[in-house]
Structure formats: structure tokens, C-alpha cells
Amino acid sequence: MTASIIDGKIIAAELRGRVAAEVARVKAEHGVTPGLAVVLVGSDPASEVYVRSKHKQTQEAGMASFEHKLPADVAQADLIALVQKLNADPAVHGILVQLPLPKGLDTDAVVNAIDPAKDVDGLHPTNAGRLASGMPALSPCTPLGCIILTKSVHKSLEGMNAIVIGRSNLVGRPLVQLLLNENATVTIAHSKSRDLAKLCAQADLVYAAVGRPEMVRGDWIKPGATVIDVGINRLPGAEGKTRLVGDVAYQEALKTAGAITPVPGGVGQMTVACLLVNTLRAACAIHKLPAPAV
């Protein structure tokens, strides 16, 4: 048996198409153009590539895109002042401060300064608390993408056994809450978990978000399980180049899993698409419009 490949590129493109159609409808019917502001501090090359991708896709979806680039040595007070200015700007419905921030800046203080109604990264404690309470909330984009990818294989996740490996605030913890909202039975595992292979072998759904290259081996996977690999790790490749691998030993897992996301071309494709979803949802909520059909 060879696993079917969950193509994040195709699923993300379809999602962006649905977002663009809803943006056009909201503009035509209500005169509202959703707007996303991205704040980039410093010149981290990976972050710059990511921000360019966000800007391009935001515009392609028919939204307004606002970019703010600040030097790495910006004062904490000046960064927070910019966030507060964006909070007050009626043209901005989503605010994303690109992480990680340079050393010397307090990430928690910056995230906490964002208006929760515009927190399209879903990291503000208000949104995290609402999500944990089963209330409507803006949830982090990567976990949202994981759920959409899973539901491309399984229409309903109700009653399925899921394991989430990794407990970060950005992926692991919110992913657990989203899975509970889907009525899955969830185990959250981490570096202190005992007999991780045995825990994995019981799961219908495996989410690897631990940041360790190829940690999850093929013989950990229950035959036919769906594997969503959130990891993006760079390893040395041929001729001095690097290669991208996930947190799952992909070639091994292909032989056991029923369906699996590749790295690259899986979860990463969904993150920006879900950022557009969150911006559209935020715009509709701020203007007290019905929730968009995405």
C-alpha cells in the first residue's frame, strides 16, 4: 500500500479562489474591502520571502495590503505605537506582526497590544481563551490549515483518534482545540511523553509539529492513518545545498499511512491561504456582516 498524497498546493489554491469570490461579493454588496497589515521588523531573509508571498496573495484575493517595514533596532514603544495606530485604522481588519521578532523586543507585549478583533494570527490571549472555551475566535492559521487538509480526506473527524505531537502556542495547543471542536478524541504528546511510538500507533490522525527532522518513523504509523506533517527543517543536501524535510520520515510513512502531506507542498501552502480566510472573517465581524462562506 502506498499513501495518497494530500496536495496542499491544490487545496490552498481552491481556498484562495473561494476567498477571492467572497471578497468580491462583500465589496459589491456592502462596499467593504478587507485589509491586511503586515509588520516586518528587521531583515530576516525567510521572513522577507514570507511577507512578499502574503502581500502578493492578499492583493490577488482582492484585498487591501499594507506593509510596514521597521529596522531591527526599533524601540519597543515605537513598534507598539504602530500596532495601536493600525488598531485604530478603519481600513485595516487584520494585523500580523511577523515572528520571530529581533532580540530585545518583547513578543508577548507586542501580541497583547493587537486588537483581538484584528488578530489574524490568533495569538492574542483573548482569542486563545475563546478557542479553548469552544467559543468563536480567530484561530492560528497553520492549525486551521491542518484541519482543512484533514477534511479533504475525511468529511467528518467525529470520534476519530488524533495525536498532536508538539504543544506550541502557535500550532500544537490551538490544533488540539480545533480537533476537539470537530469532536475528535485527542492526545497531545511532547518531548516528555513516554513511548511516543505506541501512542502514535493508536491514532487515526497524526499531526507532527515538534520541529525535529524525521522524528516520526514509518513504523509508528497505524496502517491507513492520515498524517499531517507541520515540520519544516533544513538538512544538508547534495553539492553543498540544503533540502527541506518534515518531522515525519516521509518515505517510510508512505508505505504505512493512508494519506500524507508532503514537505514542501503540504501544510506550508495552507498557512497564507488561511491568513486570507481570517482577514475576511475579521472584516465581516468588524462590520457586523454575516460570516463569509469560507
Side-chain angles (χ1 to χ4, degrees):
M1 181 181 80
T2 302
S4 61
I5 310 302
I6 304 170
D7 193 330
K9 199 168 184 179
I10 289 173
I11 295 166
E14 289 170 350
L15 181 56
R16 290 196 305 271
R18 293 201 303 276
V19 169
E22 280 291 276
V23 168
R25 183 187 63 77
V26 169
K27 277 185 185 177
E29 293 179 7
H30 304 284
V32 172
T33 300
L36 173 65
V38 176
V39 179
L40 177 62
V41 183
S43 54
D44 176 72
S47 290
E48 286 184 333
V49 168
Y50 199 39
V51 166
R52 275 199 300 274
S53 170
K54 288 171 180 171
H55 177 66
K56 179 171 177 279
Q57 292 188 32
T58 303
Q59 289 189 318
E60 285 175 353
M63 297 184 183
S65 177
F66 308 97
E67 279 190 71
H68 297 269
K69 292 186 179 179
L70 301 175
D73 60 356
V74 67
Q76 175 92 14
D78 291 341
L79 175 54
I80 287 180
L82 171 60
V83 169
Q84 290 169 338
K85 182 182 169 190
L86 296 172
N87 285 341
D89 186 343
V92 173
H93 304 100
I95 301 168
L96 185 143
V97 178
Q98 185 67 39
L99 302 178
L101 290 171
K103 285 180 181 173
L105 293 170
D106 183 342
T107 298
D108 287 344
V110 173
V111 168
N112 292 354
I114 298 171
D115 179 350
K118 297 187 177 187
D119 166 40
V120 286
D121 235 358
L123 292 178
H124 192 283
T126 296
N127 280 321
R130 289 179 66 88
L131 185 64
S133 302
M135 299 166 71
L138 289 168
S139 50
C141 302
T142 301
L144 197 57
C146 289
I147 296 294
I148 293 169
L149 290 172
T150 310
K151 291 179 90 170
S152 74
V153 180
H154 308 280
K155 194 170 182 182
S156 170
L157 311 187
E158 189 169 322
M160 298 185 83
N161 286 326
I163 186 167
V164 176
I165 308 167
R167 52 180 169 177
S168 70
N169 288 338
L170 196 59
V171 181
R173 291 173 193 265
L175 178 53
V176 167
Q177 303 303 333
L178 290 171
L179 285 164
L180 289 173
N181 289 349
E182 297 288 339
N183 295 318
T185 302
V186 190
T187 299
I188 183 160
H190 43 78
S191 58
K192 303 288 190 293
S193 298
R194 292 179 185 167
D195 204 349
L196 194 49
K198 188 176 177 183
L199 290 173
C200 269
Q202 298 166 357
D204 307 307
L205 309 171
V206 176
Y207 299 88
V210 76
R212 286 175 58 186
E214 300 180 332
M215 186 187 87
V216 177
R217 311 310 302 187
D219 59 5
W220 295 16
I221 306 298
K222 177 181 176 179
T226 295
V227 179
I228 308 293
D229 191 349
V230 184
I232 299 179
N233 310 284
R234 288 194 179 275
L235 292 181
E239 300 173 8
K241 295 179 182 176
T242 59
R243 60 190 180 95
L244 284 180
V245 300
D247 291 351
V248 177
Y250 181 73
Q251 292 300 331
E252 292 178 14
L254 268 179
K255 298 168 188 170
T256 317
I260 189 169
T261 57
V263 177
V267 175
Q269 298 283 331
M270 295 297 293
T271 300
V272 178
C274 289
L275 177 64
L276 303 181
V277 170
N278 274 352
T279 304
L280 174 60
R281 286 176 176 170
C284 290
I286 288 166
H287 288 276
K288 296 184 169 50
L289 303 176
V294 289

